[in-house]
Amino acid sequence: MTLPTTATVDLDALDLSALLCSRVCHDVISPVGAIVNGLEVLEDEDSAEMRDFALDLIRKSARQASARLQFARIAFGAAGSAGASIDLADAENVARGMFGDDKTQLTWSAPRALFPKNKVKLLLNLVVIAVTAIPRGGVIDVAVTGEGEAPVFVLTAKGSHARIPAHVEALIAGAPESGTVDAHAIQPFYAGLVARAAEMAVRFSIQGDTVTIRAEPAGPAAAAETDA
């Protein structure tokens, strides 16, 4: 299924920025809260065992908060001046920091090159969606081919109970069924905005326990090549 390239819902700048801020805060508040809890334990406990536990919690949560902020800076933020390029190696590093854990294994195949900012932002936002496609964890393979101005992204998410996330196709198309976008839905909606800005078309497919997300240059030539 190829998603439409014209949105039917248009958020104003204030609503878009507010919803994105809400999304970032949601991602960061959990590890920051854990850091606060760990500090409270250090203040109240004399037990060496509990203090070691608190320090370990603080270390892990600080790393997690840092990883989430670094990811958000590229995926949702400016990450450089207008028209800037981003190294795909940096995108890989923040993606691994954000999602690489015992539950989800991330493999990455991409050239070590500078790509246009919006295309890298789209790639990272598609990684977020790929993670939600395998709620019980599994393997996500990210493959980038082609040159920076006309790349092809193919992400495959394989795991138990894999599914195309509900409403994600309509949200990326900018045409949510409800006609509105809330903080829960802002990420795929934003991915659609970035895809259109980058002149990329996004398609989803599923076969068995594998969901495939493919993004490629939009336009008549790309469509003809896909049909062929």
Side-chain angles (χ1 to χ4, degrees):
M1 176 181 179
T2 301
L3 303 181
T5 57
T6 303
T8 60
V9 172
D10 184 20
L11 290 180
D12 64 36
L14 285 176
D15 287 339
L16 177 62
S17 60
L19 289 170
L20 284 176
C21 286
S22 179
R23 166 66 193 229
V24 173
C25 290
H26 176 272
D27 287 345
V28 175
I29 196 169
S30 178
V32 170
I35 292 171
V36 173
N37 292 337
L39 291 172
E40 290 176 349
V41 171
L42 287 178
E43 291 177 353
D44 299 336
E45 288 287 343
D46 294 327
S47 166
E49 182 178 352
M50 287 300 296
R51 292 179 69 84
D52 287 344
F53 169 80
L55 286 171
D56 186 55
L57 176 64
I58 291 170
R59 279 192 293 267
K60 289 180 179 178
S61 300
R63 285 195 296 268
Q64 188 178 53
S66 176
R68 294 184 180 192
L69 286 171
Q70 290 182 57
F71 183 90
R73 177 177 174 269
I74 297 180
F76 306 131
S81 60
S85 297
I86 298 175
D87 195 327
L88 285 179
D90 292 337
E92 177 183 2
N93 289 337
V94 298
R96 289 190 183 280
M98 180 76 170
F99 299 112
D101 55 28
D102 295 336
K103 180 181 177 182
T104 304
Q105 178 183 351
L106 184 67
T107 64
W108 190 283
S109 174
R112 299 186 69 86
L114 293 172
F115 270 45
K117 178 174 61 178
N118 279 339
K119 290 180 170 58
V120 178
K121 289 163 69 73
L122 174 61
L123 177 61
L124 290 178
N125 275 274
L126 293 180
V127 172
V128 177
I129 295 170
V131 171
T132 65
I134 45 174
R136 299 194 179 185
V139 178
I140 296 174
D141 179 71
V142 179
V144 179
T145 57
E147 298 181 351
E149 294 302 325
V152 175
F153 305 148
V154 179
L155 296 83
T156 56
K158 183 175 183 179
S160 175
H161 293 74
R163 80 283 190 277
I164 297 174
H167 312 301
V168 72
E169 292 171 292
L171 285 165
I172 288 185
E177 296 176 4
S178 64
T180 60
V181 181
D182 57 18
H184 178 74
I186 189 59
Q187 189 275 322
F189 182 84
Y190 178 72
L193 293 177
V194 177
R196 287 184 285 279
E199 299 182 334
M200 300 276 285
V202 180
R203 294 184 296 135
F204 290 80
S205 62
I206 183 169
Q207 184 173 8
D209 60 358
T210 302
V211 173
T212 300
I213 306 171
R214 182 182 178 90
E216 57 195 344
E225 181 180 349
T226 299
D227 292 340

